[in-house]
Amino acid sequence: MTKAVEVITSVQRRRRWSRAEKERIVAAALEPGASASEVARAAGIHVSQLFRWRQQLCERVQIPAGFNPVAIEFATGGRMRITGPVDARTVSALMKALAKGKRRP
């Protein structure tokens, strides 16, 4: 069995990876049939580093939900105005009730 030997002849600083390099390596690991350990080994990094980069690069940004006032007029003549945060179940129940109401003349 042949073993690879790496000879270090100088003191090297920690390698800095650009975002583009990280994205390229992470993308290679996400290819169908790709092995994370093989991709990491080919890039000269530890597989845990690859997983950390994947987590950082694939992280979704949470956008806080905003509120837009709503006014609804039903065919039955009923109206609903929502001007602030309301529980979705409450709105749903009110919409059903207003939609089933008797039509105004």
Side-chain angles (χ1 to χ4, degrees), residues 43-97:
I45 62 173
H46 194 275
V47 72
S48 65
Q49 183 68 54
L50 175 61
F51 289 134
R52 194 172 310 121
W53 288 351
R54 185 177 69 185
Q55 194 174 34
Q56 290 168 350
L57 295 172
C58 296
E59 192 173 4
R60 289 188 176 163
V61 177
Q62 293 291 330
I63 300 172
F67 178 80
N68 290 322
V70 177
I72 302 169
E73 188 168 336
F74 294 85
T76 59
R79 295 182 186 172
M80 180 188 317
R81 286 192 194 128
I82 304 171
T83 59
V86 181
D87 180 58
R89 287 179 287 180
T90 303
V91 173
S92 179
L94 288 170
M95 288 180 70
K96 285 178 185 176

Side-chain angles (χ1 to χ4, degrees), residues 1-60:
M1 179 182 285
T2 306
K3 292 187 178 186
V5 176
E6 183 178 352
V7 178
I8 300 173
T9 59
S10 65
V11 177
Q12 295 180 353
R13 293 183 179 215
R14 186 179 285 187
R15 169 118 190 238
R16 301 286 179 205
W17 297 87
S18 70
R19 182 173 177 93
E21 290 172 312
K22 291 177 184 180
E23 288 173 350
R24 180 184 55 77
I25 295 167
V26 168
L30 294 175
E31 288 291 322
S35 166
S37 59
E38 289 177 9
V39 171
R41 191 177 311 115
I45 62 173
H46 194 275
V47 72
S48 65
Q49 183 68 54
L50 175 61
F51 289 134
R52 194 172 310 121
W53 288 351
R54 185 177 69 185
Q55 194 174 34
Q56 290 168 350
L57 295 172
C58 296
E59 192 173 4
R60 289 188 176 163

